[in-house]
Amino acid sequence: MMDRILFQDTTLRDGDQTPGVNFSVSQKEELARLLEDAGVDFIEAGFPAASPGDFKAVQSIAAALKHAGVTALARANEKDIEAARDALCGAAHPRIHVFLALSDLHLKEKLNLSREDALDAIDRSVRLARNYCDDVEFSAEDATRADRAFLAQAFRRAAEAGASVLNVPDTVGVSTPAEFADLITYLKNADGLRGKCFSVHCHNDLGLAVSNTLSGLAAGAQMAECTINGIGERAGNASLEQIAMALKVKRETYRKEFALDTKKLLNLSKTVSALSGVPVSPTAPIVGANAFAHESGIHQHGILKNRKTYQIIDPEDLGLKETSLVLGKLSGRHAFSEKARELGFSLEKEQLEEAFAAFLQLADRKKIVRDDEVEAILEDQRDARILSEGFHLTAFQIQSNSGGMASADITLSKKGKTLRDAATGTGPIEAAFHTVDRIVDRKVVLDAYRIRAVTEGTDALGVVQVKIRYQEQSFTGRGVSLDIIEASIKAYINAINRALFFTEAGK
Ligand code: KIV
Ligand code: ZN
């Protein structure tokens, strides 16, 4: 008999804590819908007390989802729990997730709480959460560095107060698989905790998050908390796709079943990467561009005879067609356009022809063209299209004075048409960006601006990178010039061209 385990995805909460990542409300809604569609059991949608944006995201996800549970995080205090309750009102399957750190280090240094006070806080906060919601999860933050007997006592208090799920986080990613399994076994057998539902939540500081999660599940935990692509604080969380595929490929070892549709993992990974701006390493397991690529001649030979020689994962489990994996010089237009579609590109006939010609040139030199190489060809093609369809800087003139105000006069061109305007701003860059805004006639928000010199000296080449927001999505642009104002205008136009292409012209 197989045990059924649950997935609680926390991409929208712990993943949103990845340095540099800040999903917008609409991006969170989109991801939540995809996660639900993939069959994820619970979606941790955010931390409502943390910010109005988080509150709004949890609220709208709670209202939108029908099948998946929606979880909202709260510290063990009234204000947080009430914010979670308010944000979850309207959810079909709400869950309040209360957490409190329980290691002596955290209790003393971070919270200045005695163990007794912590037990009281657990009791009070879980009871309060239960007044508002039938499903309450309690997490013992930094559980792997807490005193075991005290941890068991704390979980007992949480269970007695009505918590339905007891989560054991390896908050700082310090555990090993054997230690973690041992901890779960200890807790599951502790007095008053037999038969309780345990969850595991592992961070990846030592690269062991997935292994620790699998060990926790093997030891009897019933739920895994994880993120798509393993994004999250510091080195991230356990990756959902790796856990799911390990359970699937090693089914006879783990003997666990789950509801998640693994065919949806690649699209989830791509979407999270695109919306978070965190790239997936080509060598990442399961979702990396090379996960099904075979470089050495010996491997290629084996694979062409029988996939199992060097490939333990059945590509069909990820929704990939077995035959579509290997492209070579004998692959025709049809196979190439299938591959383009599979990689998420929809190019027009002409662009596809050009990309196919570039592919053939490469395929002539190599026996097999890997997916990441095909992707690079298609991206080149798309960038060329963005460039040909977008705005170009033709001329500019800036005047600034010692009072700080500046004015800009800029000429752009688009598809042979000349567009000129002028505007002012505090400083030359602001004046230039205001002028570009007027010309492109769109509401764009500048989120980040970074400038650096590539070389030293007064003739240094300046590289400007900007991040803009358009229609709730983020886009980046880069400009290079000896003149930093020119580099800035180019970067800004570049980001706007990408924004318009992706939001108005399709991929
Ligand atoms: O890592 C952690 O301890 C957490 C808790 C809030 C569950 O994210
Ligand atoms: Zn965490």
Side-chain angles (χ1 to χ4, degrees):
M1 244 267 292
M2 300 256 177
D3 299 325
R4 161 88 154 84
I5 61 116
L6 302 168
F7 278 105
Q8 175 157 283
D9 180 275
T10 183
T11 306
L12 306 180
R13 199 275 298 169
D14 229 334
D16 198 39
Q17 292 172 218
T18 310
V21 172
N22 190 4
F23 294 120
S24 65
V25 174
S26 67
Q27 288 175 335
K28 286 190 182 180
E29 286 166 354
E30 179 183 346
L31 288 171
R33 270 193 299 273
L34 290 178
L35 288 163
E36 180 179 56
D37 182 54
V40 169
D41 304 281
F42 288 88
I43 295 165
E44 187 161 47
F47 185 177
S51 72
D54 251 40
F55 185 93
K56 199 161 164 246
V58 176
Q59 196 177 37
S60 66
I61 291 168
L65 301 192
K66 296 285 165 278
H67 309 293
V70 179
T71 305
L73 187 68
R75 282 166 297 193
N77 67 53
E78 214 171 301
K79 183 180 137 289
D80 279 26
I81 292 168
E82 285 171 359
R85 169 203 63 190
D86 294 346
L88 285 172
C89 118
H93 309 287
R95 169 178 282 176
I96 299 182
H97 179 182
V98 178
F99 76 99
L100 182 70
L102 291 185
S103 65
D104 287 333
L105 180 68
H106 278 228
L107 282 174
K108 181 164 174 283
E109 305 294 337
K110 193 179 87 174
L111 302 171
N112 193 21
L113 272 187
S114 67
R115 287 187 180 183
E116 251 338 287
D117 290 342
L119 294 176
D120 287 345
I122 293 170
D123 189 68
R124 255 182 288 115
S125 55
V126 172
R127 278 182 204 282
L128 178 67
R130 270 306 303 270
N131 278 344
Y132 304 138
C133 190
D134 285 344
D135 187 357
V136 172
E137 171 178 359
F138 172 72
S139 273
E141 192 189 4
D142 206 18
T144 47
R145 292 192 296 176
D147 176 80
R148 277 187 176 198
F150 173 59
L151 189 62
Q153 197 183 1
F155 277 135
R156 214 156 30 239
R157 283 293 277 274
E160 281 162 8
S164 36
V165 180
L166 305 172
N167 181 34
V168 188
D170 184 20
T171 304
V172 292
V174 69
S175 200
T176 67
E179 287 165 358
F180 200 61
D182 192 51
L183 177 60
I184 300 299
T185 306
Y186 169 84
L187 291 168
K188 280 197 71 79
N189 290 304
D191 280 349
L193 295 177
R194 287 186 199 92
K196 299 291 176 212
C197 174
F198 279 92
S199 174
V200 288
H201 174 119
C202 299
H203 280 267
N204 205 28
D205 298 66
L206 294 174
L208 294 172
V210 171
S211 307
N212 287 340
T213 304
L214 293 168
S215 291
L217 294 173
Q222 281 137 284
M223 188 169 88
E225 301 188 9
C226 40
T227 60
I228 301 294
N229 296 341
I231 63 170
E233 286 267 4
R234 307 181 308 280
N237 289 59
S239 117
L240 183 146
E241 61 279 6
Q242 291 177 29
I243 299 167
M245 288 311 293
L247 293 176
K248 187 155 207 153
V249 173
K250 304 294 291 179
R251 196 177 150 82
E252 291 312 316
T253 305
Y254 290 108
R255 306 195 63 74
K256 306 284 178 199
E257 282 177 337
F258 52 83
L260 183 88
D261 179 0
T262 55
K263 291 192 169 74
K264 305 279 169 80
L265 290 173
L266 291 182
N267 185 41
L268 270 169
S269 165
K270 268 186 191 307
T271 313
V272 167
S273 174
L275 299 184
S276 65
V278 180
V280 174
S281 157
T283 52
I286 321 296
V287 294
N290 294 355
F292 292 92
H294 301 272
E295 182 74 35
S296 97
I298 295 173
H299 287 208
Q300 287 175 5
H301 183 73
I303 279 283
L304 291 171
K305 294 231 142 127
N306 181 340
R307 164 185 70 78
K308 289 189 176 154
T309 50
Y310 287 102
Q311 184 78 61
I312 57 154
I313 298 169
D314 183 347
E316 287 190 14
D317 283 342
L318 293 165
L320 296 168
K321 286 201 205 93
E322 183 118 22
T323 49
S324 71
L325 291 174
V326 183
L327 283 191
K329 70 175 178 185
L330 297 178
S331 309
R333 266 182 197 74
H334 180 70
F336 183 76
S337 78
E338 255 308 285
K339 172 65 76 184
R341 205 187 43 74
E342 190 185 300
L343 292 170
F345 289 80
S346 70
L347 298 182
E348 307 208 330
K349 205 162 172 274
E350 206 178 302
Q351 277 116 29
L352 202 66
E353 273 307 311
E354 283 172 32
F356 183 60
F359 158 77
L360 282 183
Q361 273 188 11
L362 186 64
D364 218 23
R365 286 188 277 123
K366 302 188 74 182
K367 191 167 173 191
I368 284 177
V369 181
R370 298 191 325 242
D371 272 13
D372 58 336
E373 293 166 325
V374 176
E375 206 160 359
I377 291 172
L378 292 164
E379 268 166 7
D380 255 17
Q381 200 55 45
R382 190 179 61 195
D383 285 350
R385 187 169 152 209
I386 294 175
L387 212 69
S388 73
E389 290 180 5
F391 294 93
H392 293 263
L393 176 64
T394 311
F396 70 95
Q397 219 183 359
I398 306 282
Q399 276 184 338
S400 56
N401 61 40
S402 52
M405 284 307 284
S407 61
D409 180 337
I410 296 181
T411 308
L412 304 184
S413 65
K414 185 175 180 178
K415 292 188 180 163
K417 220 167 120 191
T418 300
L419 304 141
R420 182 175 174 188
D421 213 328
T424 56
T426 27
I429 308 284
E430 192 181 271
F433 287 5
H434 281 170
T435 312
V436 172
D437 287 344
R438 285 171 69 99
I439 298 175
V440 303
D441 196 22
R442 300 288 196 297
K443 206 171 157 14
V444 170
V445 180
L446 179 69
D447 274 339
Y449 172 91
R450 224 179 90 205
I451 181 159
R452 72 187 162 86
V454 201
T455 48
E456 286 178 10
T458 48
D459 60 349
L461 197 60
V463 179
V464 173
Q465 273 175 309
V466 298
K467 190 166 168 193
I468 62 163
R469 220 169 340 117
Y470 179 62
Q471 293 186 356
E472 297 269 345
Q473 294 184 47
S474 289
F475 300 92
T476 52
R478 191 167 172 274
V480 184
S481 171
L482 284 171
D483 179 326
I484 56 165
I485 297 178
E486 181 171 335
S488 304
I489 302 173
K490 282 183 168 170
Y492 195 53
I493 294 173
N494 190 240
I496 290 175
N497 282 340
R498 299 185 78 78
L500 299 186
F501 180 81
F502 284 106
T503 55
E504 297 176 8
K507 196 175 175 185

